[in-house]
Amino acid sequence: MLEEVAVGGMLFSPLIVFIPIAFVFSVVTRFALFKTGTYQKLWRPAWCEVSLFVCYLAIVVLIAGGY
Amino acid sequence: MGTVVRIIVTLIIVALAVLAGRWVWERYLHAPWTRDGRVQAHITTISPDVSGWVTQLAVQDNQKVEKGELLFTIDNARYQAAIEEQQAAVKARELAWQLAQHEYQRRTKLARNNTISQEELEVTRISAEQARAEYNLAMAKLNTLQLNLQRTRVKAPQAGTIVNLDLREGNYVSQGKPVLSLVRRGSFYVTGYFEETKLSLIHEGQRATIKLMSSNQPLTGKVVSIGEAIADTNINRNEQLLPHVQQTFNWVRLAQRVPVDIELDPVPENVRLVAGTTASIHLNEQ
C-alpha cells in the first residue's frame, strides 16, 4: 500500500523516504564497484549508475509499499 | 571482459531500469488510491417543532445520548394555556351539541303527530349534525395543541453524540430552525475522492484499505457506491444567462475527482473516528 508520510501534520509522498533509501543503496553499490575494480570495466558507467538507482527505487517501492 | 559483454551488461541494466521505472510510474499514477479521503457520518440536525424559550437544557456538548432521550425543553406555559382554552371551547361545543341533539329529539316526537313541518325537523337535524362537527373540530384542535405541548420536550431521534452545542438555557428557539446536531452512532463511513482517470479501476464491492491521518492502524472496508454526478462549472450562468465557459490550457488538464463511498468493517476499539478527518484510501486491484 502506498502510504503518505506525515510530518508535523503535513502529508508527503512516500517517495520522499524511498528516494534517499535507493540513493544510499546506489552509493554503497558504487563503493563496492570501485573496490572490486568493476567500475572501470563498465561500458558507460554513468548509465549503469542511473539505471541501478531506478532499479533500487523500484525494489524499495515494491518492498516498503507492501506489494 | 570483451567489449561486447560490457555493452550487453550495461544495456541489460538500462533495460531493467526502464521496465522498473515504468512499473513505479504506472503504479503511482494508475493504482486506485487516493490521499483525498474523508471520514463521514450521518449528521441529524435537530430543530424544535414549536417556538419558545429553552427552559431546561439536558445535554452537554459532545454528550452521548440514547434514542428518545430528552435533549431540551421549551417553555410550555403558552401551550398549556392554549390547551386549557381549547378544553373550555370543547366543553362549550359539547354542550351546544347536546342542546342541538335534544332539540332534534324533541322535534322528532312533535313531527310524528304532525305538529311541526318536515322542513323544521330537517333543520334541527342538520343543526345537531353541525354542532357535532364543531365539537369534533374543537377536539381535533385540542389534539393538535396537546401535540404542541408534547413537542416542547425535544428528544433525540436516534442514538448518537451531540456535536458543537451552542444552545443555552434561555435562548429563544424558532420552529423548524436547527439548533443542534447529532452524529448518529455507528454511522461512520469514508468517502474517497478518486481522480477520474482511476475510475475504470473502481467497482462496487471492491475491498479497501483505509489509513487515517490520526492513527497508524489501517482500517478495512468495501466500496458501496460511486458518485454518479459532480458539478460542471461550465453550466454556471452570468446575469445575462450566458454560460460561464472556463478557459483551459490546451495541454494541461486536471483530473477531476469523483466521490466513492466506502463502508467500514467493524472498527477496532482503540481507533477514534471523527467525521471530517482525513484518510488515505487504497483499493485492492481485482
Side-chain angles (χ1 to χ4, degrees):
Chain A
M1 180 182 165
L2 266 176
E3 288 170 358
E4 65 286 326
V5 183
V7 180
M10 283 185 286
L11 294 180
F12 291 97
S13 164
L15 285 180
I16 247 176
V17 176
F18 295 165
I19 288 173
I21 296 172
F23 184 73
V24 168
F25 280 124
S26 301
V27 170
V28 170
T29 315
R30 190 189 157 103
F31 264 111
L33 289 177
F34 262 118
K35 290 275 176 201
T36 52
T38 328
Y39 194 82
Q40 285 77 11
K41 290 182 190 163
L42 284 172
W43 182 68
R44 308 275 165 137
W47 290 18
C48 265
E49 270 192 276
V50 171
S51 301
L52 275 174
F53 172 73
V54 174
C55 290
Y56 283 140
L57 183 63
I59 291 166
V60 170
V61 169
L62 184 78
I63 294 167
Y67 265 92
Chain B
M1 215 194 296
T3 315
V4 180
V5 178
R6 285 167 55 211
I7 291 172
I8 286 173
V9 166
T10 301
L11 287 182
I12 286 173
I13 294 173
V14 170
L16 277 176
V18 167
L19 289 177
R22 198 183 137 76
W23 176 80
V24 172
W25 182 255
E26 285 283 319
R27 205 173 103 74
Y28 211 72
L29 229 64
H30 297 303
W33 71 281
T34 181
R35 231 174 253 149
D36 194 10
R38 291 294 167 99
V39 179
Q40 309 261 30
H42 294 170
I43 311 287
T44 311
T45 52
I46 293 165
S47 319
D49 197 23
V50 290
S51 304
W53 287 298
V54 176
T55 50
Q56 185 211 346
L57 188 63
V59 287
Q60 290 174 335
D61 203 10
N62 302 326
Q63 185 184 322
K64 287 182 167 43
V65 292
E66 293 300 324
K67 186 176 179 175
E69 196 176 322
L70 181 71
L71 299 177
F72 60 92
T73 50
I74 296 166
D75 179 39
N76 63 7
R78 197 179 288 276
Y79 301 100
Q80 193 71 57
I83 285 180
E84 278 159 23
E85 189 184 327
Q86 193 58 32
Q87 275 168 343
V90 166
K91 190 71 193 165
R93 296 288 170 219
E94 195 184 356
L95 292 175
W97 176 29
Q98 279 177 9
L99 181 67
Q101 214 171 14
H102 183 73
E103 277 176 4
Y104 171 58
Q105 278 163 0
R106 203 175 101 79
R107 275 173 176 59
T108 316
K109 283 179 204 147
L110 292 175
R112 267 193 219 122
N113 20 343
N114 291 328
T115 320
I116 57 162
S117 67
Q118 277 296 319
E119 191 192 353
E120 203 177 336
L121 178 68
E122 193 65 4
V123 167
T124 46
R125 187 187 67 79
I126 292 170
S127 309
E129 288 283 313
Q130 202 176 11
R132 194 177 70 157
E134 272 174 13
Y135 168 74
N136 286 345
L137 184 70
M139 275 304 280
K141 209 170 161 193
L142 182 64
N143 283 340
T144 311
L145 290 172
Q146 269 162 349
L147 190 66
N148 279 350
L149 183 68
Q150 279 174 22
R151 297 280 164 91
T152 58
R153 295 171 63 80
V154 180
K155 290 169 181 170
Q158 62 233 340
T161 310
I162 305 288
V163 275
N164 199 15
L165 180 72
D166 199 22
L167 188 67
R168 300 287 176 264
E169 280 179 11
N171 278 17
Y172 191 88
V173 291
S174 304
Q175 182 187 25
K177 206 172 155 202
V179 289
L180 55 90
S181 43
L182 184 77
V183 184
R184 190 171 184 170
R185 185 174 303 161
S187 68
F188 285 99
Y189 64 100
V190 174
T191 300
Y193 299 96
F194 286 86
E195 284 163 1
E196 50 192 325
T197 49
K198 295 174 179 175
L199 216 53
S200 59
L201 303 162
I202 303 169
H203 54 82
E204 278 93 347
Q206 200 167 6
R207 297 296 303 168
T209 313
I210 297 126
K211 218 185 130 218
L212 301 174
M213 201 172 178
S214 57
S215 144
N216 286 324
Q217 197 168 353
L219 306 177
T220 54
K222 71 165 195 271
V223 175
V224 283
S225 62
I226 299 164
E228 296 218 332
I230 53 170
D232 177 0
T233 46
N234 290 346
I235 294 173
N236 292 345
R237 293 170 174 186
N238 71 355
E239 296 92 54
Q240 292 171 299
L241 303 183
L242 306 178
H244 253 302
V245 181
Q246 305 285 316
Q247 62 272 56
T248 53
F249 295 100
N250 279 346
W251 301 105
V252 181
R253 295 284 154 80
L254 284 177
Q256 299 189 80
R257 287 171 187 260
V258 177
V260 173
D261 284 353
I262 293 159
E263 185 185 78
L264 290 170
D265 294 337
V267 175
E269 279 189 8
N270 56 345
V271 175
R272 181 184 285 272
L273 289 174
V274 178
T277 51
T278 317
S280 296
I281 300 159
H282 188 274
L283 301 179
N284 297 3
E285 285 163 271
Q286 73 239 335

